[in-house]
């Protein structure tokens, strides 16, 4: 039997998942802008870098981290309120993707710290590709949660690989368009 609290907890879980992903989608964009600002002449480089660091710090600590903690907390409450979900194969698969998302979040935190210290070990192209990692995880989690089917792994993995291919083609097309605009 599902608790009367279940729909409210589920709504809060979804709200914080959305805001968590919003942060994970936008933060790598700020990283890209900061990395690209490093090639600007002074004082523009320093001004842009400080501004991107400030925006990233606010996004990361005011929106993204709290949203991650609350999404995980409310998701855990859902499993406590309905422990039978853990027996469902789709939920087990979803939790694997949530674990991957947490690893993605932690790696993004490491990147955040490096860029906050003006260490730039990544290219803007790498960051554009990294930015799509959250998209792939989001697609996997949403399809599992909505369809509640983990049996069609072959189709699901093929779909994720196709999506990854489309995203990579989009990145290449965008890069060519940017290079074309620089030639004008």
């Amino acid at each position: 039997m599902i608790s009367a609290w279940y729909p409210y907890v589920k709504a809060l879980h979804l709200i914080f998942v959305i805001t968590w992903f919003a942060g994970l989608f936008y933060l790598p964009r700020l990283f890209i802008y900061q990395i690209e600002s490093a090639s600007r002449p002074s004082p523009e480089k320093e001004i842009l870098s400080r501004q991107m660091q400030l925006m990233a710090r606010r996004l990361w600590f005011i929106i993204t981290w709290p949203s991650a903690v609350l999404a995980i907390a409310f998701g855990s409450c859902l499993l406590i309120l309905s422990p039978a979900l853990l027996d469902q194969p789709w939920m087990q698969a979803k939790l694997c993707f949530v674990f991957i998302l947490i690893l993605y979040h932690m790696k993004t935190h490491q990147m955040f710290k490096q860029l906050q210290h003006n260490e730039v070990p990544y290219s803007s192209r790498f960051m554009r590709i990294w930015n799509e990692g959250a998209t792939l995880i989001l697609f996997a989690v949403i399809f599992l949660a909505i369809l509640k089917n983990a049996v069609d792994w072959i189709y699901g993995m093929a779909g994720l690989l196709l999506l990854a291919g489309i995203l990579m083609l989009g990145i290449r097309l965008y890069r060519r368009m940017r290079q074309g605009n620089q030639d004008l």
Side-chain angles (χ1 to χ4, degrees):
M1 176 166 209
I2 295 179
S3 165
W5 288 101
Y6 189 86
Y8 297 101
V9 175
K10 187 174 185 179
L12 290 168
H13 173 64
L14 289 172
I15 288 165
F16 290 112
V17 166
I18 291 166
T19 56
W20 184 11
F21 271 99
L24 288 175
F25 288 149
Y26 191 51
L27 189 68
R29 295 301 311 166
L30 292 175
F31 292 168
I32 292 166
Y33 302 146
Q34 183 180 351
I35 291 166
E36 290 178 349
S37 73
S39 64
R40 302 277 190 179
S42 288
E44 186 180 3
K45 171 172 73 172
E46 291 80 15
I47 293 168
L48 287 171
S49 180
R50 279 194 305 271
Q51 183 62 35
M52 293 303 114
Q53 288 172 333
L54 175 65
M55 291 171 67
R57 203 168 33 256
R58 288 177 177 168
L59 174 65
W60 197 238
F61 291 120
I62 295 172
I63 296 172
T64 312
W65 259 111
S67 296
V69 170
L70 290 168
I72 292 166
F74 285 116
S76 299
C77 287
L78 289 172
L79 293 174
I80 291 167
L81 290 171
S82 184
L85 287 171
L86 290 170
D87 296 332
Q88 303 293 322
W90 68 269
M91 179 57 76
Q92 294 165 3
K94 178 187 168 196
L95 291 175
C96 287
F97 280 106
V98 170
F99 179 72
I100 293 168
L101 178 63
I102 292 168
L103 293 177
Y104 179 90
H105 181 99
M106 298 309 291
K107 180 62 179 174
T108 302
H109 185 78
Q110 180 187 26
M111 294 170 176
F112 166 80
K113 289 193 322 189
Q114 289 172 314
L115 288 165
Q116 288 292 306
H117 292 100
N118 290 315
E119 298 169 19
V120 185
Y122 307 101
S123 68
S124 61
R125 182 169 188 241
F126 173 84
M127 278 300 158
R128 282 184 173 82
I129 294 168
W130 180 258
N131 197 20
E132 302 310 331
T135 303
L136 293 172
I137 297 167
L138 177 66
F139 268 73
V141 168
I142 293 298
F143 274 102
L144 283 165
I146 298 297
L147 299 176
K148 296 182 177 19
N149 186 350
V151 176
D152 294 327
W153 273 103
I154 295 172
Y155 296 122
M157 290 310 292
L160 278 176
L161 291 174
L162 179 64
L163 175 63
I166 291 169
L167 291 171
M168 292 306 128
L169 287 173
I171 290 169
R172 284 187 174 188
L173 178 63
Y174 176 73
R175 189 171 106 208
R176 285 190 186 146
M177 288 172 46
R178 284 188 65 205
Q179 287 174 341
N181 288 340
Q182 290 175 356
D183 294 338
L184 296 177

